[in-house]
PDB file of all heavy atoms in Angstrom:
ATOM      1  N   SER A  36      -7.139  -0.375 -12.980  1.00 88.00           N
ATOM      2  CA  SER A  36      -6.734   0.019 -14.348  1.00 88.00           C
ATOM      3  C   SER A  36      -6.381   1.451 -14.433  1.00 88.00           C
ATOM      4  O   SER A  36      -6.133   1.994 -15.545  1.00 88.00           O
ATOM      5  CB  SER A  36      -7.893  -0.278 -15.281  1.00 88.00           C
ATOM      6  OG  SER A  36      -9.053   0.378 -14.920  1.00 88.00           O
ATOM      7  N   ALA A  37      -6.359   2.210 -13.362  1.00 91.00           N
ATOM      8  CA  ALA A  37      -5.974   3.672 -13.324  1.00 91.00           C
ATOM      9  C   ALA A  37      -5.015   3.907 -12.200  1.00 91.00           C
ATOM     10  O   ALA A  37      -4.943   3.211 -11.250  1.00 91.00           O
ATOM     11  CB  ALA A  37      -7.254   4.494 -13.191  1.00 91.00           C
ATOM     12  N   PRO A  38      -4.245   5.011 -12.342  1.00 95.00           N
ATOM     13  CA  PRO A  38      -3.272   5.329 -11.250  1.00 95.00           C
ATOM     14  C   PRO A  38      -3.965   5.680  -9.951  1.00 95.00           C
ATOM     15  O   PRO A  38      -5.092   6.248 -10.000  1.00 95.00           O
ATOM     16  CB  PRO A  38      -2.522   6.567 -11.823  1.00 95.00           C
ATOM     17  CG  PRO A  38      -2.827   6.592 -13.283  1.00 95.00           C
ATOM     18  CD  PRO A  38      -4.063   5.893 -13.475  1.00 95.00           C
ATOM     19  N   VAL A  39      -3.330   5.309  -8.884  1.00 96.00           N
ATOM     20  CA  VAL A  39      -3.865   5.724  -7.508  1.00 96.00           C
ATOM     21  C   VAL A  39      -2.646   6.172  -6.686  1.00 96.00           C
ATOM     22  O   VAL A  39      -1.533   5.902  -6.918  1.00 96.00           O
ATOM     23  CB  VAL A  39      -4.537   4.511  -6.857  1.00 96.00           C
ATOM     24  CG1 VAL A  39      -5.789   4.106  -7.574  1.00 96.00           C
ATOM     25  CG2 VAL A  39      -3.583   3.326  -6.613  1.00 96.00           C
ATOM     26  N   SER A  40      -3.028   6.920  -5.645  1.00 96.00           N
ATOM     27  CA  SER A  40      -2.096   7.513  -4.728  1.00 96.00           C
ATOM     28  C   SER A  40      -2.501   7.211  -3.276  1.00 96.00           C
ATOM     29  O   SER A  40      -3.732   7.062  -3.061  1.00 96.00           O
ATOM     30  CB  SER A  40      -1.908   9.003  -4.896  1.00 96.00           C
ATOM     31  OG  SER A  40      -1.405   9.301  -6.143  1.00 96.00           O
ATOM     32  N   LEU A  41      -1.641   7.256  -2.326  1.00 95.00           N
ATOM     33  CA  LEU A  41      -1.886   7.111  -0.902  1.00 95.00           C
ATOM     34  C   LEU A  41      -1.558   8.404  -0.306  1.00 95.00           C
ATOM     35  O   LEU A  41      -0.392   8.883  -0.335  1.00 95.00           O
ATOM     36  CB  LEU A  41      -1.065   5.958  -0.312  1.00 95.00           C
ATOM     37  CG  LEU A  41      -1.456   5.604   1.093  1.00 95.00           C
ATOM     38  CD1 LEU A  41      -2.833   4.981   1.135  1.00 95.00           C
ATOM     39  CD2 LEU A  41      -0.427   4.539   1.634  1.00 95.00           C
ATOM     40  N   LEU A  42      -2.585   8.975   0.417  1.00 95.00           N
ATOM     41  CA  LEU A  42      -2.427  10.258   1.120  1.00 95.00           C
ATOM     42  C   LEU A  42      -2.793  10.035   2.610  1.00 95.00           C
ATOM     43  O   LEU A  42      -3.497   9.065   2.967  1.00 95.00           O
ATOM     44  CB  LEU A  42      -3.340  11.337   0.568  1.00 95.00           C
ATOM     45  CG  LEU A  42      -3.388  11.459  -0.942  1.00 95.00           C
ATOM     46  CD1 LEU A  42      -4.538  12.446  -1.335  1.00 95.00           C
ATOM     47  CD2 LEU A  42      -2.044  12.002  -1.429  1.00 95.00           C
ATOM     48  N   THR A  43      -2.280  10.944   3.471  1.00 92.00           N
ATOM     49  CA  THR A  43      -2.718  10.956   4.792  1.00 92.00           C
ATOM     50  C   THR A  43      -4.218  11.517   4.797  1.00 92.00           C
ATOM     51  O   THR A  43      -4.625  12.106   3.791  1.00 92.00           O
ATOM     52  CB  THR A  43      -1.924  11.813   5.775  1.00 92.00           C
ATOM     53  OG1 THR A  43      -1.955  13.165   5.337  1.00 92.00           O
ATOM     54  CG2 THR A  43      -0.460  11.352   5.738  1.00 92.00           C
ATOM     55  N   SER A  44      -4.872  11.410   5.911  1.00 88.00           N
ATOM     56  CA  SER A  44      -6.274  11.935   5.950  1.00 88.00           C
ATOM     57  C   SER A  44      -6.225  13.418   5.882  1.00 88.00           C
ATOM     58  O   SER A  44      -7.293  14.035   5.589  1.00 88.00           O
ATOM     59  CB  SER A  44      -6.939  11.427   7.250  1.00 88.00           C
ATOM     60  OG  SER A  44      -6.205  11.916   8.337  1.00 88.00           O
ATOM     61  N   LYS A  45      -5.075  14.077   6.098  1.00 89.00           N
ATOM     62  CA  LYS A  45      -4.890  15.530   6.013  1.00 89.00           C
ATOM     63  C   LYS A  45      -4.487  15.932   4.589  1.00 89.00           C
ATOM     64  O   LYS A  45      -4.176  17.116   4.319  1.00 89.00           O
ATOM     65  CB  LYS A  45      -3.914  16.120   7.028  1.00 89.00           C
ATOM     66  CG  LYS A  45      -4.418  15.780   8.448  1.00 89.00           C
ATOM     67  CD  LYS A  45      -3.406  16.350   9.450  1.00 89.00           C
ATOM     68  CE  LYS A  45      -4.069  16.093  10.828  1.00 89.00           C
ATOM     69  NZ  LYS A  45      -3.167  16.561  11.908  1.00 89.00           N
ATOM     70  N   GLY A  46      -4.354  14.903   3.623  1.00 88.00           N
ATOM     71  CA  GLY A  46      -4.001  15.283   2.252  1.00 88.00           C
ATOM     72  C   GLY A  46      -2.537  15.241   1.933  1.00 88.00           C
ATOM     73  O   GLY A  46      -2.218  15.595   0.754  1.00 88.00           O
ATOM     74  N   GLN A  47      -1.658  14.923   2.808  1.00 92.00           N
ATOM     75  CA  GLN A  47      -0.276  14.776   2.528  1.00 92.00           C
ATOM     76  C   GLN A  47       0.087  13.534   1.700  1.00 92.00           C
ATOM     77  O   GLN A  47      -0.349  12.448   2.117  1.00 92.00           O
ATOM     78  CB  GLN A  47       0.565  14.921   3.769  1.00 92.00           C
ATOM     79  CG  GLN A  47       0.396  16.176   4.483  1.00 92.00           C
ATOM     80  CD  GLN A  47       1.114  16.108   5.853  1.00 92.00           C
ATOM     81  OE1 GLN A  47       0.927  15.107   6.626  1.00 92.00           O
ATOM     82  NE2 GLN A  47       1.953  17.168   6.112  1.00 92.00           N
ATOM     83  N   ALA A  48       0.850  13.645   0.567  1.00 93.00           N
ATOM     84  CA  ALA A  48       1.201  12.550  -0.180  1.00 93.00           C
ATOM     85  C   ALA A  48       2.134  11.526   0.628  1.00 93.00           C
ATOM     86  O   ALA A  48       3.099  12.026   1.186  1.00 93.00           O
ATOM     87  CB  ALA A  48       1.867  13.005  -1.501  1.00 93.00           C
ATOM     88  N   VAL A  49       1.832  10.263   0.499  1.00 94.00           N
ATOM     89  CA  VAL A  49       2.694   9.316   1.142  1.00 94.00           C
ATOM     90  C   VAL A  49       3.335   8.411   0.034  1.00 94.00           C
ATOM     91  O   VAL A  49       4.588   8.282   0.061  1.00 94.00           O
ATOM     92  CB  VAL A  49       1.903   8.404   2.095  1.00 94.00           C
ATOM     93  CG1 VAL A  49       2.798   7.349   2.736  1.00 94.00           C
ATOM     94  CG2 VAL A  49       1.273   9.270   3.176  1.00 94.00           C
ATOM     95  N   VAL A  50       2.600   7.849  -0.856  1.00 94.00           N
ATOM     96  CA  VAL A  50       3.057   6.954  -1.869  1.00 94.00           C
ATOM     97  C   VAL A  50       2.251   7.237  -3.179  1.00 94.00           C
ATOM     98  O   VAL A  50       1.006   7.384  -3.166  1.00 94.00           O
ATOM     99  CB  VAL A  50       2.874   5.446  -1.519  1.00 94.00           C
ATOM    100  CG1 VAL A  50       3.283   4.539  -2.688  1.00 94.00           C
ATOM    101  CG2 VAL A  50       3.584   5.107  -0.299  1.00 94.00           C
TER     102      VAL A  50
END
Side-chain angles (χ1 to χ4, degrees):
S36 59
V39 295
S40 297
L41 187 65
L42 311 173
T43 65
S44 59
K45 295 180 180 180
Q47 296 172 311
V49 178
V50 177

